Amino acid sequence: MGGKRRFLFRNCFLYCMVSFLLTLPVWLTATVFAADEKEADEFTLEEITVTAEKREAELQKVPLDISVVRPDDMDTLGIHTAQDLDKILPDVSTDQYAGSFVTVTMRGVRMEFWNPIHETTTAIHLDGVQLTRINGFNNMFYDLQRLEVLKGPQGTLQGRGSTAGSMNFITQKPILNEFSGNATFEFGDYDLYRTEAAINIPVFQKLAMRFAGKTLQRDGYNDAGFGNEHSWAGRASMTWEPTEKDTIIATFDFEGSEDKGYGQSGHYLATYGEALIYPRTDPQYLPQSWGPTNVIELPWQSRWFMGDNASRAYNDINSWGVMTQWEHELPFAYLTTVFGSRSLHEKKNFIWHSAMLWATSQATPADPTITDPDTGDLIGAYVWVTQPSNTYVVSTTSSHTQSLEIRLLSKTTINQGDKLEWILGGMGQDDRMTEVNETANTSHVEVQTKVKAVFTQASYEIFKDFRITGGYRFGADDKIYDGNTDSAVITDEYPLNHKKYGYDNDIWKANLSYQFTEDIMTYVQYSKGFKTLNVDYNGNYIPPEKMNSWEMGFRSRLFSNRVQLNANIYFYEYKNYSRWANVYWCAQDTNSGPRPGANPWDPPDVPGDHNCDDIAGEVTEDNPDGGPDGTVNYLDYMDESSETIGISAGSAEQKGLNANIMWMITQNDTFSINGAWSHNEYKEYDIGQALRDAYADHVYGIPDNVYTSDAYKTSQTGLEFNGPNLRGTINYTHTMWLGMDMTSLNINARYEGEDLDQFIDRGEATQYTMPGRPDYWVLNAAINYSSSRWVPEGMRWNARLWCNNLTDSKHLASLSYSNDFWGIWVFKQGSGTATGGYIEPRTTGVTLTLNF
């Protein structure tokens, strides 16, 4: 019975979306006739204006897959960081690495390079100016008009291109001839304190200023002190209309944060098959006494193995920027010039955490292992961690970016009855970035990216309500690398190595849309995505990622504008799908002797036979000195002779569908459901072959002399990636009016589908699979009370009581399996270990806001 129930939950959203698409023609036909016969009711869904295509338009009239997050949504659902967006956007997810570095995934297209020197798949914009570094952009969720999220490849109109999509933070601009403002204070569990404030000041009739800021302080969810945050941000802006035909907007903003690295949500430790976990007798590593078991659950507990290491970690970041926009009205068009300048400085001491489970095939009196009496295979492991296994990485990142965009926007618009609308422009950007690693992989890397592009887009109404849109962009990108991966300090002995790459690119799209009625539109689109070329730490060229995208969708408002139904399906062909990969060089090659230096690019004095020598092995009773053991494995390679490189491993195909239903049931009740299904699969994707190709001309370049993970030794073609396939959200709001006072209840449920199965011993005769992380629901709730009592006239206050993870569920956020340690098979076939982390615990808080 339990299995059937899980199956129904797991397929609920997919079933609803497919059924909805199949019955769509019936719905639309019935609704069109019904709408003609009914008069508009008193209450309808709100119309939203967006600028996704550089001109104002109603959201439901834009033939794109675009979602908008408004200030009301942020207040109602508690959306204050990118990680909170999963409460409303199931096709958008985030991951946080190394402190402030946040990667954004859209429709399963994600960034495999989570490092500041690499290009992002999702373009982040602030008032139309692209942010080339996404460190610390969480601090921008305040005093916004809206957040526009465009899904699918962007490039003809959006910055220097992207393959996943674009996010544009549109800040609240100063309003002429109005004095207004707001102030918010929030406190909650884990010592949460958040403040926000804004004030709009009319200076003269044609000049206004606005000042806004925020602070946030919160402890981490674990007992070791990781994941805490102390951040602040501020913004000053000006709107000036010197003439009737000119508008000038200028903004200065700054952000800063201090934290202890990414959050730890506790640990799940388990074994499967015949393996068992036994307690280690040393009490300093154990919070409790464990007996023989297969599962140990430690939600939100990390101190037991981290100790006081959090006190040594820090992540300090500061950034600031200016934006100026001048708009001038010409007789036939609007001329707009946007200039942006941005700087960032980050210093961090980041800790790579050690493994939670340790096993050894060598039995010692201090740490005995449990072995099968018949075969001698290890079936038990002791849970313990040694503090020296934590690696500290001290690094400094600095970046400076300047960009300029000039565009002409036609005065004619199709939505106002014209036959043609167009936009023409050009942009340039100079982005300079420096990263210095002082410990671990010592390096000094400087990367400069120069982008120049011209773009155009036009829409023409072929006949009534049938529109064709075409867009084109031509760009020339230069990537300049100056770096040294042996020293953080540049000297005559360690100079910067200089490399330069250039790439011309053209991007285009074609879109057909048809407005069936005033409230129902459908569209089909082809677009080409492009992400500019990358370089890795060694300055190696990584070709640009490209995408062919086909999409079909519709947008509709039905039942007298009470119901909104939007859906789309898409198919991607992703080329040059790039990633990091680790390779290890042979410590000794037959006939050549040991390598003369640690740098893998230093050839031996005498070329060998390209076969790695067996020079090391496991320390056993028969091999006490760890000498040759008859096999070539990781012990025959040296850590100091490893390197991380960037490679283009192959291609991928990605497809999916998204659906949004919003229903204003009554004037006081609104219900919405959002669902996203995707299927991502590698095509002609082989990491091992890409590594061999990368080193084909090197003395150590043939397969027998490059050691890498077993998972890379066979082609990944046909494998799914970037799960889970199914995600969704449900949101319900009920509002009650008591005179001039208002009370509202909001309930938000988030569904995370089952993650993909994991392959063990992939490509080997012993290959088997293990189930991915189970699916789960998270329930959030909030009650809001708004009143104008007890405050001066013209003011209104709001009080919000909220709770996230209302049921305090302890679901797994991640789960991974292993049956070996550092390449050594130690467990009996079909046995191994499992590790994982948990979702955030239950949190509660109160938010107080005053508007005037």
Side-chain angles (χ1 to χ4, degrees):
M1 188 66 182
K4 292 182 178 180
R5 188 178 296 113
R6 285 192 296 273
F7 177 82
L8 291 175
F9 276 129
R10 189 162 52 242
N11 293 277
C12 175
F13 276 101
L14 182 59
Y15 173 79
C16 291
M17 286 190 287
V18 172
S19 299
F20 168 64
L21 292 175
L22 291 175
T23 58
L24 173 63
V26 178
W27 275 77
L28 293 180
T29 303
T31 304
V32 169
F33 286 107
D36 291 338
E37 298 175 359
K38 296 181 65 174
E39 297 181 357
D41 290 332
E42 296 179 359
F43 58 93
T44 61
L45 291 170
E46 180 182 354
E47 296 290 350
I48 301 174
T49 300
V50 297
T51 54
E53 296 189 301
K54 304 296 185 181
R55 69 169 74 240
E56 290 190 352
E58 292 181 13
L59 173 62
Q60 289 298 107
K61 300 294 177 64
V62 179
L64 297 171
D65 185 8
I66 174 174
S67 297
V68 174
V69 183
R70 301 168 298 166
D72 288 347
D73 301 320
M74 297 178 185
D75 293 338
T76 300
L77 298 175
I79 298 175
H80 305 300
T81 67
Q83 290 88 331
D84 295 325
L85 290 174
D86 58 11
K87 297 177 183 178
I88 193 172
L89 301 176
D91 49 358
V92 176
S93 60
T94 61
D95 294 292
Q96 187 170 356
Y97 302 96
S100 64
F101 195 82
V102 179
T103 64
V104 180
T105 299
M106 291 187 187
R107 292 177 168 179
V109 180
R110 63 179 298 169
M111 180 181 179
E112 297 293 346
F113 298 105
W114 46 276
N115 190 281
I117 75 170
H118 294 116
E119 299 291 327
T120 61
T121 54
T122 299
I124 309 296
H125 297 82
L126 179 63
D127 288 327
V129 177
Q130 185 165 352
L131 309 179
T132 56
R133 308 276 87 76
I134 57 176
N135 306 52
F137 84 95
N138 270 338
N139 275 339
M140 296 177 181
F141 285 80
Y142 72 99
D143 199 38
L144 299 177
Q145 288 185 14
R146 62 191 177 275
L147 170 63
E148 296 183 1
V149 182
L150 285 73
K151 290 79 170 281
Q154 308 295 321
T156 53
L157 296 179
Q158 304 294 334
R160 68 192 203 195
S162 64
T163 48
S166 169
M167 295 175 60
N168 189 11
F169 291 84
I170 300 174
T171 63
Q172 180 63 57
K173 306 301 187 298
I175 304 172
L176 297 177
N177 304 313
E178 176 181 295
F179 180 79
S180 59
N182 58 75
T184 297
F185 177 72
E186 181 177 61
F187 59 93
D189 295 336
Y190 298 92
D191 289 332
L192 168 66
Y193 298 97
R194 183 178 66 89
T195 62
E196 289 186 16
I199 185 169
N200 194 95
I201 303 174
V203 181
F204 302 111
Q205 185 177 5
K206 296 295 185 179
L207 177 66
M209 302 287 294
R210 188 176 184 89
F211 302 92
K214 61 159 283 187
T215 65
L216 174 65
Q217 179 175 313
R218 180 183 61 80
D219 289 345
Y221 296 129
N222 64 89
D223 58 357
F226 279 94
N228 67 335
E229 181 178 1
H230 178 208
S231 62
W232 55 91
R235 188 183 302 130
S237 52
M238 175 196 76
T239 297
W240 180 30
E241 296 182 355
T243 71
E244 293 183 355
K245 296 182 180 296
D246 294 275
T247 300
I248 297 174
I249 298 174
T251 301
F252 169 77
D253 70 278
F254 64 90
E255 295 85 34
S257 65
E258 299 174 350
D259 59 58
K260 294 292 186 182
Y262 69 89
Q264 286 278 337
S265 58
H267 301 284
Y268 171 86
L269 311 174
T271 58
Y272 63 92
E274 298 184 25
L276 297 173
I277 298 176
Y278 278 75
R280 178 183 167 97
T281 56
D282 191 337
Q284 68 172 314
Y285 297 106
L286 293 179
Q288 59 191 32
S289 177
W290 295 320
T293 181
N294 282 79
V295 178
I296 297 173
E297 295 181 318
L298 297 170
W300 315 303
Q301 296 180 47
S302 298
R303 189 177 180 83
W304 66 278
F305 80 96
M306 289 306 304
D308 296 322
N309 284 338
S311 62
R312 299 179 58 182
Y314 59 83
N315 188 79
D316 300 340
I317 182 171
N318 290 279
S319 67
W320 54 94
V322 296
M323 184 279 295
T324 59
Q325 176 179 301
W326 171 47
E327 184 178 288
H328 177 69
E329 182 181 356
L330 299 171
F332 64 97
Y334 297 98
L335 172 65
T336 302
T337 301
V338 181
F339 171 78
S341 178
R342 201 146 198 97
S343 296
L344 175 143
H345 182 80
E346 182 178 36
K347 177 89 174 189
K348 68 175 61 178
N349 184 0
F350 180 67
I351 297 180
W352 293 101
H353 307 306
S354 56
M356 280 73 76
L357 284 175
W358 171 277
T360 175
S361 60
Q362 169 62 20
T364 65
D367 299 295
T369 56
I370 301 88
T371 58
D372 187 306
D374 297 326
T375 65
D377 293 333
L378 179 67
I379 60 172
Y382 284 76
V383 179
W384 66 293
V385 168
T386 55
Q387 298 298 338
S389 59
N390 292 300
T391 302
Y392 295 85
V393 181
V394 179
S395 68
T396 302
T397 299
S398 299
S399 74
H400 304 279
T401 306
Q402 291 186 326
S403 61
L404 177 66
E405 180 176 310
I406 302 175
R407 60 179 183 264
L408 278 173
L409 186 70
S410 68
K411 282 187 172 181
T412 58
T413 64
I414 293 178
N415 289 335
Q416 293 179 356
D418 299 304
K419 299 288 289 184
L420 175 69
E421 63 185 38
W422 53 267
I423 182 173
L424 175 67
M427 62 86 65
Q429 187 177 71
D430 189 345
D431 177 31
R432 301 168 185 261
M433 179 269 169
T434 301
E435 181 175 312
V436 178
N437 289 317
E438 301 173 18
T439 59
N441 296 325
T442 306
S443 62
H444 182 116
V445 174
E446 300 175 8
V447 178
Q448 181 181 8
T449 305
K450 294 183 177 182
V451 177
K452 299 180 290 292
V454 292
F455 58 87
T456 184
Q457 181 170 302
S459 298
Y460 180 74
E461 190 175 54
I462 302 176
F463 53 84
K464 183 174 175 54
D465 298 324
F466 184 74
R467 178 191 309 186
I468 182 171
T469 300
Y472 179 77
R473 174 187 184 270
F474 176 80
D477 298 355
D478 290 322
K479 187 80 73 171
I480 303 169
Y481 167 90
D482 292 280
N484 190 299
T485 56
D486 292 325
S487 174
V489 179
I490 303 308
T491 64
D492 292 339
E493 184 181 0
Y494 295 102
L496 290 175
N497 300 313
H498 179 80
K499 298 180 181 180
K500 181 178 179 179
Y501 307 99
Y503 193 92
D504 294 343
N505 58 89
D506 58 344
I507 304 171
W508 61 280
K509 80 170 188 177
N511 182 292
L512 292 173
S513 64
Y514 182 66
Q515 196 78 35
F516 283 95
T517 71
E518 180 66 22
D519 300 316
I520 301 174
M521 178 192 66
T522 186
Y523 66 91
V524 294
Q525 175 174 285
Y526 166 81
S527 58
K528 184 177 179 180
F530 173 84
K531 186 176 77 171
T532 192
L533 61 95
N534 267 313
V535 292
D536 63 17
Y537 274 95
N538 296 305
N540 298 319
Y541 171 84
I542 308 172
E545 295 185 0
K546 300 178 182 179
M547 176 185 287
N548 294 315
S549 168
W550 291 266
E551 184 173 329
M552 178 173 63
F554 68 90
R555 310 183 72 88
S556 64
R557 287 282 180 90
L558 311 172
F559 299 110
S560 300
N561 210 18
R562 288 194 196 179
V563 176
Q564 175 175 295
L565 299 177
N566 296 335
N568 64 81
I569 58 176
Y570 62 88
F571 176 78
Y572 294 159
E573 286 183 340
Y574 209 147
K575 299 179 180 180
N576 296 337
Y577 201 16
S578 304
R579 60 165 297 146
W580 276 343
N582 295 320
V583 291
Y584 300 86
W585 298 91
C586 200
Q588 180 172 300
D589 190 5
T590 302
N591 300 326
S592 68
R595 285 191 300 106
N599 190 334
W601 296 102
D602 293 337
D605 295 332
V606 180
D609 61 1
H610 301 296
N611 291 306
C612 190
D613 292 349
D614 174 23
I615 62 173
E618 289 294 316
V619 177
T620 63
E621 184 176 351
D622 297 330
N623 188 21
D625 60 354
D629 61 354
T631 61
V632 175
N633 56 36
Y634 83 105
L635 292 173
D636 299 307
Y637 295 76
M638 301 186 301
D639 288 342
E640 61 265 27
S641 60
S642 69
E643 67 175 344
T644 301
I645 67 169
I647 57 171
S648 176
S651 304
E653 287 185 358
Q654 302 180 244
K655 56 190 174 184
L657 61 90
N658 308 312
N660 160 257
I661 304 173
M662 183 180 294
W663 179 20
M664 198 168 187
I665 306 171
T666 71
Q667 190 170 0
N668 301 322
D669 298 272
T670 303
F671 171 85
S672 67
I673 179 171
N674 295 278
W677 174 84
S678 63
H679 179 89
N680 311 305
E681 187 174 304
Y682 291 121
K683 295 294 182 181
E684 299 179 0
Y685 191 88
D686 192 324
I687 299 174
Q689 185 59 49
L691 288 171
R692 292 189 286 273
D693 292 343
Y695 292 96
D697 298 329
H698 190 271
V699 67
Y700 290 123
I702 69 172
D704 289 340
N705 219 285
V706 177
Y707 176 85
T708 186
S709 169
D710 288 340
Y712 298 167
K713 292 182 178 178
T714 58
S715 170
Q716 289 79 44
T717 299
L719 293 183
E720 283 191 69
F721 64 97
N722 289 359
N725 299 115
L726 190 62
R727 305 175 80 228
T729 63
I730 298 175
N731 194 66
Y732 170 73
T733 300
H734 175 70
T735 304
M736 295 183 296
W737 289 91
L738 304 172
M740 297 298 294
D741 295 355
M742 183 189 73
T743 301
S744 63
L745 168 67
N746 176 263
I747 298 176
N748 171 262
R750 178 171 66 90
Y751 174 76
E752 196 78 14
E754 181 180 8
D755 215 340
L756 301 175
D757 288 346
Q758 298 179 34
F759 293 91
I760 311 297
D761 289 344
R762 192 176 61 81
E764 306 293 336
T766 55
Q767 175 180 310
Y768 59 97
T769 61
M770 295 296 295
R773 172 196 46 76
D775 60 343
Y776 62 86
W777 289 84
V778 178
L779 185 65
N780 309 311
I783 299 175
N784 184 78
Y785 188 85
S786 177
S787 175
S788 57
R789 302 185 187 190
W790 310 305
V791 293
E793 186 177 354
M795 294 187 175
R796 192 170 186 88
W797 59 270
N798 297 275
R800 178 175 179 263
L801 177 65
W802 54 268
C803 180
N804 293 328
N805 192 359
L806 184 64
T807 59
D808 201 24
S809 302
K810 297 176 176 59
H811 300 296
L812 286 176
S814 62
L815 178 65
S816 60
Y817 299 92
S818 177
N819 71 337
D820 60 26
F821 292 89
W822 294 284
I824 307 174
W825 183 80
V826 293
F827 289 110
K828 191 174 182 179
Q829 174 64 23
S831 302
T833 60
T835 59
Y838 291 83
I839 64 173
E840 296 178 354
R842 178 168 58 199
T843 55
T844 58
V846 176
T847 306
L848 303 174
T849 302
L850 178 66
N851 297 286
F852 59 91

PDB file of all heavy atoms in Angstrom, residues 626-646:
ATOM      1  N   GLY A 626      54.039  -0.882   2.208  1.00  0.00           N
ATOM      2  CA  GLY A 626      53.218  -0.275   1.162  1.00  0.00           C
ATOM      3  C   GLY A 626      53.854  -0.289  -0.201  1.00  0.00           C
ATOM      4  O   GLY A 626      53.595   0.595  -1.019  1.00  0.00           O
ATOM      5  N   GLY A 627      54.685  -1.278  -0.495  1.00  0.00           N
ATOM      6  CA  GLY A 627      55.362  -1.356  -1.789  1.00  0.00           C
ATOM      7  C   GLY A 627      54.444  -1.875  -2.884  1.00  0.00           C
ATOM      8  O   GLY A 627      53.225  -1.949  -2.713  1.00  0.00           O
ATOM      9  N   PRO A 628      55.006  -2.250  -4.034  1.00  0.00           N
ATOM     10  CA  PRO A 628      54.195  -2.747  -5.160  1.00  0.00           C
ATOM     11  C   PRO A 628      53.299  -3.898  -4.730  1.00  0.00           C
ATOM     12  O   PRO A 628      53.706  -4.763  -3.944  1.00  0.00           O
ATOM     13  CB  PRO A 628      55.252  -3.203  -6.172  1.00  0.00           C
ATOM     14  CG  PRO A 628      56.462  -2.386  -5.841  1.00  0.00           C
ATOM     15  CD  PRO A 628      56.454  -2.213  -4.350  1.00  0.00           C
ATOM     16  N   ASP A 629      52.068  -3.891  -5.268  1.00  0.00           N
ATOM     17  CA  ASP A 629      51.112  -4.925  -4.865  1.00  0.00           C
ATOM     18  C   ASP A 629      50.542  -5.683  -6.050  1.00  0.00           C
ATOM     19  O   ASP A 629      49.555  -6.400  -5.924  1.00  0.00           O
ATOM     20  CB  ASP A 629      49.967  -4.315  -4.056  1.00  0.00           C
ATOM     21  CG  ASP A 629      49.181  -3.276  -4.847  1.00  0.00           C
ATOM     22  OD1 ASP A 629      49.607  -2.956  -5.983  1.00  0.00           O
ATOM     23  OD2 ASP A 629      48.159  -2.803  -4.337  1.00  0.00           O
ATOM     24  N   GLY A 630      51.130  -5.501  -7.232  1.00  0.00           N
ATOM     25  CA  GLY A 630      50.680  -6.270  -8.391  1.00  0.00           C
ATOM     26  C   GLY A 630      49.596  -5.600  -9.214  1.00  0.00           C
ATOM     27  O   GLY A 630      49.208  -6.126 -10.261  1.00  0.00           O
ATOM     28  N   THR A 631      49.067  -4.452  -8.764  1.00  0.00           N
ATOM     29  CA  THR A 631      48.047  -3.721  -9.516  1.00  0.00           C
ATOM     30  C   THR A 631      48.418  -2.246  -9.570  1.00  0.00           C
ATOM     31  O   THR A 631      49.107  -1.730  -8.686  1.00  0.00           O
ATOM     32  CB  THR A 631      46.653  -3.859  -8.867  1.00  0.00           C
ATOM     33  OG1 THR A 631      46.701  -3.304  -7.545  1.00  0.00           O
ATOM     34  CG2 THR A 631      46.232  -5.319  -8.793  1.00  0.00           C
ATOM     35  N   VAL A 632      47.932  -1.577 -10.596  1.00  0.00           N
ATOM     36  CA  VAL A 632      48.127  -0.129 -10.723  1.00  0.00           C
ATOM     37  C   VAL A 632      46.831   0.547 -10.301  1.00  0.00           C
ATOM     38  O   VAL A 632      45.787   0.344 -10.919  1.00  0.00           O
ATOM     39  CB  VAL A 632      48.494   0.261 -12.166  1.00  0.00           C
ATOM     40  CG1 VAL A 632      48.573   1.770 -12.309  1.00  0.00           C
ATOM     41  CG2 VAL A 632      49.799  -0.395 -12.579  1.00  0.00           C
ATOM     42  N   ASN A 633      46.915   1.302  -9.229  1.00  0.00           N
ATOM     43  CA  ASN A 633      45.730   2.021  -8.755  1.00  0.00           C
ATOM     44  C   ASN A 633      46.130   3.426  -8.321  1.00  0.00           C
ATOM     45  O   ASN A 633      47.223   3.890  -8.628  1.00  0.00           O
ATOM     46  CB  ASN A 633      45.031   1.254  -7.633  1.00  0.00           C
ATOM     47  CG  ASN A 633      45.967   0.952  -6.470  1.00  0.00           C
ATOM     48  OD1 ASN A 633      46.827   1.767  -6.134  1.00  0.00           O
ATOM     49  ND2 ASN A 633      45.811  -0.220  -5.866  1.00  0.00           N
ATOM     50  N   TYR A 634      45.260   4.076  -7.561  1.00  0.00           N
ATOM     51  CA  TYR A 634      45.478   5.480  -7.218  1.00  0.00           C
ATOM     52  C   TYR A 634      46.766   5.686  -6.438  1.00  0.00           C
ATOM     53  O   TYR A 634      47.363   6.761  -6.466  1.00  0.00           O
ATOM     54  CB  TYR A 634      44.286   6.011  -6.423  1.00  0.00           C
ATOM     55  CG  TYR A 634      44.342   5.693  -4.950  1.00  0.00           C
ATOM     56  CD1 TYR A 634      44.660   6.682  -4.022  1.00  0.00           C
ATOM     57  CD2 TYR A 634      44.101   4.412  -4.484  1.00  0.00           C
ATOM     58  CE1 TYR A 634      44.722   6.390  -2.670  1.00  0.00           C
ATOM     59  CE2 TYR A 634      44.160   4.120  -3.147  1.00  0.00           C
ATOM     60  CZ  TYR A 634      44.468   5.112  -2.238  1.00  0.00           C
ATOM     61  OH  TYR A 634      44.531   4.829  -0.903  1.00  0.00           O
ATOM     62  N   LEU A 635      47.244   4.667  -5.713  1.00  0.00           N
ATOM     63  CA  LEU A 635      48.461   4.827  -4.922  1.00  0.00           C
ATOM     64  C   LEU A 635      49.701   4.982  -5.800  1.00  0.00           C
ATOM     65  O   LEU A 635      50.747   5.436  -5.320  1.00  0.00           O
ATOM     66  CB  LEU A 635      48.630   3.627  -3.989  1.00  0.00           C
ATOM     67  CG  LEU A 635      47.585   3.523  -2.865  1.00  0.00           C
ATOM     68  CD1 LEU A 635      47.750   2.206  -2.120  1.00  0.00           C
ATOM     69  CD2 LEU A 635      47.711   4.695  -1.916  1.00  0.00           C
ATOM     70  N   ASP A 636      49.582   4.612  -7.055  1.00  0.00           N
ATOM     71  CA  ASP A 636      50.705   4.775  -7.971  1.00  0.00           C
ATOM     72  C   ASP A 636      50.708   6.153  -8.643  1.00  0.00           C
ATOM     73  O   ASP A 636      51.500   6.410  -9.541  1.00  0.00           O
ATOM     74  CB  ASP A 636      50.655   3.684  -9.049  1.00  0.00           C
ATOM     75  CG  ASP A 636      50.759   2.303  -8.426  1.00  0.00           C
ATOM     76  OD1 ASP A 636      51.715   2.079  -7.665  1.00  0.00           O
ATOM     77  OD2 ASP A 636      49.866   1.474  -8.675  1.00  0.00           O
ATOM     78  N   TYR A 637      49.791   7.004  -8.199  1.00  0.00           N
ATOM     79  CA  TYR A 637      49.728   8.383  -8.681  1.00  0.00           C
ATOM     80  C   TYR A 637      49.906   9.299  -7.477  1.00  0.00           C
ATOM     81  O   TYR A 637      49.591   8.940  -6.341  1.00  0.00           O
ATOM     82  CB  TYR A 637      48.388   8.662  -9.354  1.00  0.00           C
ATOM     83  CG  TYR A 637      48.176   7.869 -10.606  1.00  0.00           C
ATOM     84  CD1 TYR A 637      47.849   6.508 -10.551  1.00  0.00           C
ATOM     85  CD2 TYR A 637      48.307   8.448 -11.854  1.00  0.00           C
ATOM     86  CE1 TYR A 637      47.661   5.758 -11.690  1.00  0.00           C
ATOM     87  CE2 TYR A 637      48.116   7.701 -13.008  1.00  0.00           C
ATOM     88  CZ  TYR A 637      47.791   6.362 -12.924  1.00  0.00           C
ATOM     89  OH  TYR A 637      47.604   5.634 -14.060  1.00  0.00           O
ATOM     90  N   MET A 638      50.419  10.492  -7.684  1.00  0.00           N
ATOM     91  CA  MET A 638      50.704  11.403  -6.577  1.00  0.00           C
ATOM     92  C   MET A 638      49.734  12.570  -6.619  1.00  0.00           C
ATOM     93  O   MET A 638      49.436  13.120  -7.669  1.00  0.00           O
ATOM     94  CB  MET A 638      52.138  11.926  -6.675  1.00  0.00           C
ATOM     95  CG  MET A 638      53.199  10.832  -6.659  1.00  0.00           C
ATOM     96  SD  MET A 638      54.874  11.510  -6.596  1.00  0.00           S
ATOM     97  CE  MET A 638      54.905  12.507  -8.077  1.00  0.00           C
ATOM     98  N   ASP A 639      49.256  13.008  -5.418  1.00  0.00           N
ATOM     99  CA  ASP A 639      48.324  14.135  -5.350  1.00  0.00           C
ATOM    100  C   ASP A 639      48.923  15.393  -5.952  1.00  0.00           C
ATOM    101  O   ASP A 639      48.256  16.174  -6.608  1.00  0.00           O
ATOM    102  CB  ASP A 639      47.910  14.401  -3.897  1.00  0.00           C
ATOM    103  CG  ASP A 639      46.977  13.325  -3.377  1.00  0.00           C
ATOM    104  OD1 ASP A 639      46.403  12.613  -4.211  1.00  0.00           O
ATOM    105  OD2 ASP A 639      46.828  13.218  -2.148  1.00  0.00           O
ATOM    106  N   GLU A 640      50.235  15.594  -5.709  1.00  0.00           N
ATOM    107  CA  GLU A 640      50.830  16.834  -6.217  1.00  0.00           C
ATOM    108  C   GLU A 640      50.968  16.821  -7.731  1.00  0.00           C
ATOM    109  O   GLU A 640      51.290  17.840  -8.333  1.00  0.00           O
ATOM    110  CB  GLU A 640      52.197  17.085  -5.570  1.00  0.00           C
ATOM    111  CG  GLU A 640      53.216  15.998  -5.850  1.00  0.00           C
ATOM    112  CD  GLU A 640      53.260  14.968  -4.732  1.00  0.00           C
ATOM    113  OE1 GLU A 640      52.229  14.799  -4.059  1.00  0.00           O
ATOM    114  OE2 GLU A 640      54.317  14.367  -4.519  1.00  0.00           O
ATOM    115  N   SER A 641      50.723  15.666  -8.359  1.00  0.00           N
ATOM    116  CA  SER A 641      50.802  15.618  -9.811  1.00  0.00           C
ATOM    117  C   SER A 641      49.409  15.523 -10.428  1.00  0.00           C
ATOM    118  O   SER A 641      49.238  15.002 -11.515  1.00  0.00           O
ATOM    119  CB  SER A 641      51.649  14.430 -10.258  1.00  0.00           C
ATOM    120  OG  SER A 641      51.076  13.220  -9.792  1.00  0.00           O
ATOM    121  N   SER A 642      48.404  16.004  -9.709  1.00  0.00           N
ATOM    122  CA  SER A 642      47.056  16.037 -10.248  1.00  0.00           C
ATOM    123  C   SER A 642      46.727  17.453 -10.687  1.00  0.00           C
ATOM    124  O   SER A 642      47.362  18.414 -10.264  1.00  0.00           O
ATOM    125  CB  SER A 642      46.044  15.579  -9.198  1.00  0.00           C
ATOM    126  OG  SER A 642      45.956  16.535  -8.158  1.00  0.00           O
ATOM    127  N   GLU A 643      45.734  17.572 -11.535  1.00  0.00           N
ATOM    128  CA  GLU A 643      45.256  18.896 -11.904  1.00  0.00           C
ATOM    129  C   GLU A 643      43.792  18.812 -12.292  1.00  0.00           C
ATOM    130  O   GLU A 643      43.289  17.761 -12.678  1.00  0.00           O
ATOM    131  CB  GLU A 643      46.082  19.502 -13.029  1.00  0.00           C
ATOM    132  CG  GLU A 643      45.958  18.815 -14.360  1.00  0.00           C
ATOM    133  CD  GLU A 643      46.716  19.575 -15.449  1.00  0.00           C
ATOM    134  OE1 GLU A 643      47.058  20.750 -15.229  1.00  0.00           O
ATOM    135  OE2 GLU A 643      46.962  18.989 -16.506  1.00  0.00           O
ATOM    136  N   THR A 644      43.125  19.952 -12.149  1.00  0.00           N
ATOM    137  CA  THR A 644      41.732  20.085 -12.533  1.00  0.00           C
ATOM    138  C   THR A 644      41.675  20.894 -13.810  1.00  0.00           C
ATOM    139  O   THR A 644      42.193  22.007 -13.867  1.00  0.00           O
ATOM    140  CB  THR A 644      40.928  20.784 -11.428  1.00  0.00           C
ATOM    141  OG1 THR A 644      41.024  20.029 -10.218  1.00  0.00           O
ATOM    142  CG2 THR A 644      39.472  20.907 -11.826  1.00  0.00           C
ATOM    143  N   ILE A 645      41.058  20.336 -14.823  1.00  0.00           N
ATOM    144  CA  ILE A 645      40.990  21.031 -16.105  1.00  0.00           C
ATOM    145  C   ILE A 645      39.531  21.146 -16.536  1.00  0.00           C
ATOM    146  O   ILE A 645      38.660  20.422 -16.048  1.00  0.00           O
ATOM    147  CB  ILE A 645      41.804  20.307 -17.191  1.00  0.00           C
ATOM    148  CG1 ILE A 645      41.164  18.951 -17.531  1.00  0.00           C
ATOM    149  CG2 ILE A 645      43.244  20.136 -16.759  1.00  0.00           C
ATOM    150  CD1 ILE A 645      41.754  18.312 -18.766  1.00  0.00           C
ATOM    151  N   GLY A 646      39.284  22.059 -17.453  1.00  0.00           N
ATOM    152  CA  GLY A 646      37.965  22.201 -18.034  1.00  0.00           C
ATOM    153  C   GLY A 646      37.924  21.525 -19.388  1.00  0.00           C
ATOM    154  O   GLY A 646      38.848  21.661 -20.191  1.00  0.00           O
TER     155      GLY A 646
END
